[in-house]
Amino acid sequence: MKLDLLNNNWLEIVFEGRNKSYGAYDLRKSITKNTVRAFIIGTVIFVILVSIPTILRMIPDRSEDTTLDQKITAIKLPPKDKPKENLPPPPPPPPKVDQVKFVKPVVAKAEDVVEEIAVVKDLKDKNIGKETIKGDPDAELTVEPVGTGVAAVVEEDNTVYNTAGIEVKPDFPGGMDKFNAFVAKNYQAPEEEGLKGKVYVTFVVEKDGSLTDIKVLRDIGYGTGKEAIRVLNKCPKWTPGEQNGKKVRCTFSLPISIQSAE
């Protein structure tokens, strides 16, 4: 008996007496159909891939230049005129009003006079210049812009600066030791037994070194704050503070210690 592998009859022989519900029987039974189907699909894909270059060559290229050939005629342009060099500047436009040359009167002999001096009536409604120019009544009048007449004013810096953020701090002539000695010498503490504490004052050192806006932030009573103001009012001028190289107003805070004699 001749065995035909493309015929499924051999499966019956192989699986005779065996369990045909097993997956191997179904798989071998459909292998012929699957093989033929795969062969046909593969052949179609192969033919398409091989035919792609031929199909692309058959499609017309739309990017080709479809413009018609035209006859181009060359036109020779005339040569450009070169700008002339070293030409004198154009004469100024004539003034609207006639201008008469002013000739300074000089005593001379009649035969030496080369220019005729204009008479007074010829100078009426005319400008006086170095030469005689015929005016053009249709010339356009031009007027120079007029200034505002206000001079620039530099505003003075009256800002009151804080001592902590200033470049050059204000100082008493001779230093703070001299200032403390001045306060101790001139301050008259009240005669109150056991009086002790600090008086806090603040003031502004002006640009000229004088002290203004003297205020008492806290005192201990008995006229201690009022006495501090009196002493500071008679204080010599300080060296003012400076900011950006200029003298400025600056605040200054000062504690004055008070201790009465026991």
Side-chain angles (χ1 to χ4, degrees), residues 2 6 15 25 35 42 58 78 81 96 100 139-140 148 151 154 205 209 225-226 235 242 249:
K2 186 179 180 180
L6 297 178
F15 285 90
Y25 176 79
T35 302
M58 295 175 63
D81 295 335
K96 189 173 183 65
V100 179
E140 182 179 357
T148 59
V154 179
V205 181
K226 185 177 180 180
C235 178
E242 293 185 10
R249 305 174 68 202

Side-chain angles (χ1 to χ4, degrees), residues 13 64 126 142 146 175 198 229 257:
I13 300 173
E64 294 181 357
K126 294 179 176 62
T142 57
V146 181
K198 290 185 178 181
I229 294 176
S257 298

Side-chain angles (χ1 to χ4, degrees), residues 2-220:
K2 186 179 180 180
L3 182 61
D4 187 2
L5 295 179
L6 297 178
N7 194 341
N8 291 337
N9 293 332
W10 64 274
L11 290 175
E12 301 297 332
I13 300 173
V14 174
F15 285 90
E16 183 178 0
R18 296 184 181 182
N19 185 9
K20 293 183 180 181
S21 61
Y22 186 65
Y25 176 79
D26 293 334
L27 181 63
R28 285 173 174 77
K29 189 175 181 180
S30 61
I31 190 171
T32 301
K33 182 174 61 176
N34 293 338
T35 302
V36 173
R37 183 185 299 174
F39 177 76
I40 295 173
I41 294 175
T43 302
V44 172
I45 294 175
F46 176 77
V47 172
I48 293 174
L49 293 176
V50 172
S51 304
I52 286 177
T54 304
I55 296 173
L56 292 178
R57 285 195 296 270
M58 295 175 63
I59 298 175
D61 188 3
R62 296 182 178 273
S63 62
E64 294 181 357
D65 188 7
T66 58
T67 57
L68 298 176
D69 294 337
Q70 296 181 358
K71 184 178 181 180
I72 300 176
T73 304
I75 300 175
K76 187 175 182 181
L77 299 176
K80 294 184 179 180
D81 295 335
K82 293 184 178 180
K84 298 180 180 180
E85 299 179 355
N86 301 325
L87 292 178
K96 189 173 183 65
V97 181
D98 293 345
Q99 178 176 300
V100 179
K101 180 179 180 180
F102 174 76
V103 180
K104 186 177 179 180
V106 178
V107 178
K109 296 180 181 180
E111 59 271 14
D112 295 335
V113 176
V114 295
E115 291 183 322
E116 183 180 357
I117 300 176
V119 296
V120 176
K121 65 177 182 178
D122 295 336
L123 299 179
K124 185 179 181 181
D125 299 330
K126 294 179 176 62
N127 296 330
I128 306 300
K130 295 182 178 180
E131 57 182 346
T132 301
I133 302 175
K134 188 66 176 177
D136 182 7
D138 297 328
E140 182 179 357
L141 290 175
T142 57
V143 181
E144 294 293 331
V146 181
T148 59
V150 179
V153 178
V154 179
E155 294 184 1
E156 186 177 1
D157 185 7
N158 288 321
T159 305
V160 179
Y161 291 83
N162 191 291
T163 308
I166 200 170
E167 295 177 354
V168 180
K169 296 177 174 58
D171 195 12
F172 187 80
M176 292 306 296
D177 291 338
K178 291 283 186 179
F179 177 73
N180 293 332
F182 167 80
V183 174
K185 179 180 179 181
N186 292 275
Y187 192 90
Q188 298 178 2
E191 297 179 359
E192 292 291 335
E193 185 177 354
L195 183 64
K196 185 178 180 181
K198 290 185 178 181
V199 177
Y200 291 90
V201 295
T202 180
F203 50 86
V204 175
V205 181
E206 298 290 342
K207 298 177 183 179
D208 60 353
S210 60
L211 306 185
T212 61
D213 198 18
I214 303 171
K215 296 179 181 178
V216 178
L217 301 181
R218 189 180 70 183
D219 61 8
I220 55 178

